[in-house]
Amino acid sequence: MTSNKRDKSASRQYQEISGNENESDQTRPTTAAANDAKSKWLAAHNDFVAGINTVGTCMELVDLFAEGSVNLVVADFGNILLMPKLQAKLKVFKSFSLLKENNLSDLPCALVACYTDNLQPRIPALAVASGSAVFLFKSLRPYYKFVLPQIEIAQVEKDVWHKAREGNIDIQAMHDVLNDIHRAGTVPLTPRSLTFLQMAKSNEAYQFVEHYKNVELKRQSCVTCMKKLNKNSADEDGLNCLVIGTEDQHIYIVEAEAFTILATMTCPATPSFLEVSGVYDVEFRILVTCRNGYVYLFRRGNQTPRNAIYLNSIAVGLERFGKNIIVGCMDSSLHCYTTKGKRYWKHILPAPITAMCQIDYRPKGFQAVAVALANNEIHLYKDKFLVDVIQVEENIYAMKFGKLGREDATLVMVTKNGGLIIKILKRTATFEENDTLHGPPKEQQVKIDVPKRTKLYVDQTLREKEQAEMMYRIFQQDLIRLKLLTGKEFLKSVQAGLNPVAKTKTEAIRINAEVHGLGPRFKLTVKLQNT
């Protein structure tokens, strides 16, 4: 009864915070599945016209002001259909309402809340990976911009633009040389040269060269993924490092305090998802899923991966639970591997995966992975068991589980059309490890009713402990005697001619009979040979 009162009070608290949003035209009524008493989740907030366009890697739940109340931070893409007019923004929500927003110079790909100093109170900074840079915000204000190191440019391309600057080469010859380099594929070109090759008209290409020939030629990579790594302490509020994956197949570990590159690692392909564990100064591991369909493992001191796991399809999500790796693939499959590459289980899902997130509810010791599907369902897997299915109104494109406001177990979801859905896990919710869709039936999980131990059983156990040596000797004697008797009987059958091969008196015909099978039906094979 006490837990039910807490759930009702929590739901009432969220309704009071959100005001009269449920009465407005911007909020749809919740479905019958959400209101069902059997549901393990409370519908705290539904706003289907919130206008949020993001992915799971661009969402964070963090206490930005050290007030004990967690905020929702979203790196919003904006309306991509209105490109080239960029509308990307960094949005901070407090109690379902927009608190502040900052403009971003490029489309974001990752958002991380990290600690860059040891000042008190512990207020985190926001690191937003956008284009070829990582922007750091402190107190919701721009603080620092870290730019990826430049990539070396081919000498031939440098010479072409140097001649264009001096006027020693015409547009057609310049186009032919750069096109030959691009077709060879041995050396990648800069974005400026690639843009020049796409221009068909000579007048447009001439104006482009005249505009950019005096500008320094640069080639920079783009950030594809980003995570944080504890630097010298395993505490949640300890100093962090940023682990950045780039388009040019590199992984950089950057110190968040001075923004110096501590380590550089090389991937066989472009990284798409990262999972980090450990402490940089002691021991750490970095899991990377790449666009070539492999999962690679990096350790401290290694510039190249130690282990590689081949996937049958491209990964769309990566989560880690201790020594287990959960990978979702484009072929609607969910895999569980060890860090050494051994696969524990595989599930074929009823629809393609649209989003994944880790659920770690420490008060109950509950760990699971939430998988959003294209059929408007969210499946919760604890180990290999499907423990819950959440029905939603629209496809989910981004999810995050954690503390929001003052509630510890909150699932924040962003829909395909920009809606915001928030659900709270009931305190009375229990998850049974019974998989109704995969694995053995329920009857196999029922324990056998073993009778209680009797006095005879206890006396027999004590006798076996006291006379174990003598019982073993008797067993060995009986075994040797059985082997001896078996050998003597086999020798007698051979000497008496009782084997399955029989000969006639004249030895002109040989008969061999064999019986196949032990049941009511058997097969008798008789071979007759003329000798």
Side-chain angles (χ1 to χ4, degrees):
M1 294 297 292
T2 304
S3 300
N4 293 331
K5 291 181 180 178
R6 290 178 181 176
D7 293 336
K8 293 179 181 178
S9 62
S11 179
R12 191 181 304 110
Q13 176 187 358
Y14 271 91
Q15 292 175 1
E16 292 174 357
I17 292 174
S18 59
N20 295 326
E21 290 179 349
N22 293 331
E23 299 177 0
S24 64
D25 295 336
Q26 297 181 351
T27 307
R28 300 179 186 176
T30 57
T31 60
N35 293 329
D36 191 2
K38 296 182 180 179
S39 177
K40 300 178 177 64
W41 302 85
L42 293 172
H45 180 69
N46 289 340
D47 185 6
F48 291 94
V49 289
I52 302 175
N53 187 12
T54 187
V55 292
T57 56
C58 293
M59 293 175 60
E60 274 288 347
L61 298 173
V62 58
D63 186 4
L64 287 176
F65 308 103
E67 298 174 344
S69 180
V70 177
N71 305 97
L72 171 63
V73 185
V74 177
D76 191 0
F77 301 154
N79 193 349
I80 304 180
L81 299 177
L82 298 179
M83 295 290 286
K85 184 180 179 181
L86 189 65
Q87 296 181 338
K89 296 179 181 293
L90 179 66
K91 297 182 178 180
V92 179
F93 293 86
K94 183 177 182 180
S95 302
F96 308 143
S97 60
L98 183 63
L99 180 64
K100 190 176 181 181
E101 62 180 19
N102 294 79
N103 294 327
L104 300 177
S105 61
D106 204 346
L107 287 177
C109 66
L111 171 65
V112 169
C114 58
Y115 292 93
T116 59
D117 51 44
N118 291 317
L119 300 179
Q120 296 291 339
R122 306 295 291 151
I123 298 178
L126 296 176
V128 183
S130 179
S132 60
V134 177
F135 298 90
L136 195 70
F137 293 85
K138 280 191 173 182
S139 300
L140 301 182
R141 296 177 182 177
Y143 176 75
Y144 190 80
K145 177 183 178 182
F146 171 77
V147 182
L148 294 178
Q150 295 187 15
I151 306 174
E152 186 178 355
I153 304 173
Q155 188 62 37
V156 181
E157 186 179 359
K158 289 182 180 178
D159 296 339
V160 169
W161 285 98
H162 180 70
K163 292 180 180 180
R165 188 183 306 113
E166 296 179 351
N168 297 331
I169 188 172
D170 59 349
I171 298 298
Q172 187 61 38
M174 185 177 176
H175 185 278
D176 294 340
V177 174
L178 293 177
N179 193 31
D180 292 340
I181 299 174
H182 182 59
R183 287 180 177 274
T186 55
V187 180
L189 296 177
T190 59
R192 184 193 302 180
S193 299
L194 293 175
T195 306
F196 170 74
L197 292 177
Q198 294 175 358
M199 297 180 178
K201 298 180 181 180
S202 59
N203 295 334
E204 187 180 359
Y206 177 78
Q207 295 177 0
F208 181 82
V209 173
E210 288 294 324
H211 185 271
Y212 287 102
K213 67 179 182 180
N214 295 323
V215 181
E216 182 183 359
L217 189 65
K218 296 181 180 180
R219 178 169 172 255
Q220 285 185 327
S221 183
C222 295
V223 181
T224 59
C225 50
M226 182 175 64
K227 286 287 184 178
K228 67 178 179 180
L229 171 66
N230 289 1
K231 187 178 185 302
N232 50 23
S233 173
D235 298 336
E236 293 184 359
D237 58 350
L239 290 177
N240 298 128
C241 300
L242 296 179
V243 183
I244 304 172
T246 63
E247 190 74 32
D248 62 333
Q249 305 177 6
H250 283 88
I251 296 177
Y252 299 101
I253 300 180
V254 182
E255 186 182 11
E257 186 176 9
F259 282 92
T260 56
I261 299 178
L262 302 177
T264 304
M265 304 174 183
T266 304
C267 278
T270 302
S272 56
F273 294 96
L274 290 173
E275 277 296 328
V276 181
S277 63
V279 180
Y280 176 79
D281 291 343
V282 182
E283 180 65 31
F284 65 88
R285 294 183 180 183
I286 301 176
L287 281 168
V288 188
T289 59
C290 296
R291 296 178 185 170
N292 60 350
Y294 278 85
V295 181
Y296 298 100
L297 174 64
F298 291 88
R299 295 183 180 179
R300 176 180 172 84
N302 298 330
Q303 295 184 353
T304 56
R306 290 285 302 272
N307 298 334
I309 303 173
Y310 174 71
L311 304 174
N312 295 328
S313 181
I314 305 300
V316 296
L318 174 67
E319 300 294 338
R320 178 171 181 167
F321 295 91
K323 295 184 178 180
N324 295 343
I325 308 168
I326 310 295
V327 185
C329 296
M330 292 184 66
D331 59 351
S332 304
S333 61
L334 191 67
H335 306 259
C336 178
Y337 293 91
T338 64
T339 53
K340 295 184 179 180
K342 180 182 178 182
R343 187 168 72 181
Y344 277 155
W345 48 264
K346 173 186 176 182
H347 290 328
I348 301 298
L349 304 178
I353 300 174
T354 58
M356 288 178 58
C357 79
Q358 182 177 354
I359 294 181
D360 187 5
Y361 188 36
R362 295 183 180 178
K364 286 192 174 183
F366 175 69
Q367 286 187 335
V369 58
V371 184
L373 305 180
N375 60 352
N376 298 350
E377 290 182 352
I378 300 176
H379 289 195
L380 267 64
Y381 288 92
K382 182 181 179 182
D383 296 331
K384 66 176 181 179
F385 300 102
L386 177 64
V387 295
D388 192 20
V389 177
I390 306 174
Q391 299 288 342
V392 290
E393 290 80 0
E394 296 181 7
N395 288 347
I396 302 299
Y397 274 18
M399 291 190 301
K400 200 73 175 181
F401 180 86
K403 185 177 180 180
L404 179 62
R406 299 187 183 276
E407 286 293 330
D408 293 331
T410 307
L411 182 61
V412 182
M413 297 166 282
V414 176
T415 65
K416 175 183 177 180
N417 297 323
L420 179 63
I421 302 175
I422 299 177
K423 292 182 180 293
I424 305 174
L425 182 64
K426 292 181 179 179
R427 293 178 175 85
T428 57
T430 56
F431 297 93
E432 298 180 359
E433 297 184 3
N434 294 331
D435 195 347
T436 58
L437 299 180
H438 310 93
K442 295 182 179 180
E443 290 76 10
Q444 188 169 333
Q445 304 295 333
V446 179
K447 294 183 179 181
I448 301 175
D449 188 12
V450 180
K452 296 182 179 180
R453 290 181 294 182
T454 61
K455 186 177 182 301
L456 179 62
Y457 172 81
V458 176
D459 295 342
Q460 185 71 10
T461 304
L462 294 175
R463 188 184 70 86
E464 291 177 357
K465 289 182 179 180
E466 295 173 355
Q467 303 178 6
E469 183 179 355
M470 184 183 67
M471 294 174 64
Y472 179 75
R473 288 179 180 178
I474 296 175
F475 170 75
Q476 290 295 328
Q477 291 177 1
D478 293 341
L479 181 61
I480 295 173
R481 186 178 295 108
L482 179 61
K483 291 181 179 180
L484 179 61
L485 293 176
T486 305
K488 288 181 179 181
E489 292 298 328
F490 179 73
L491 180 61
K492 288 181 181 180
S493 64
V494 172
Q495 293 177 351
L498 299 177
N499 52 354
V501 180
K503 298 180 181 179
T504 59
K505 295 182 179 179
T506 58
E507 296 185 356
I509 297 176
R510 177 178 297 175
I511 301 175
N512 185 9
E514 295 181 2
V515 179
H516 303 279
L518 299 174
R521 291 186 179 184
F522 60 91
K523 182 178 179 182
L524 179 64
T525 303
V526 180
K527 295 182 180 179
L528 185 63
Q529 182 180 4
N530 187 0
T531 59

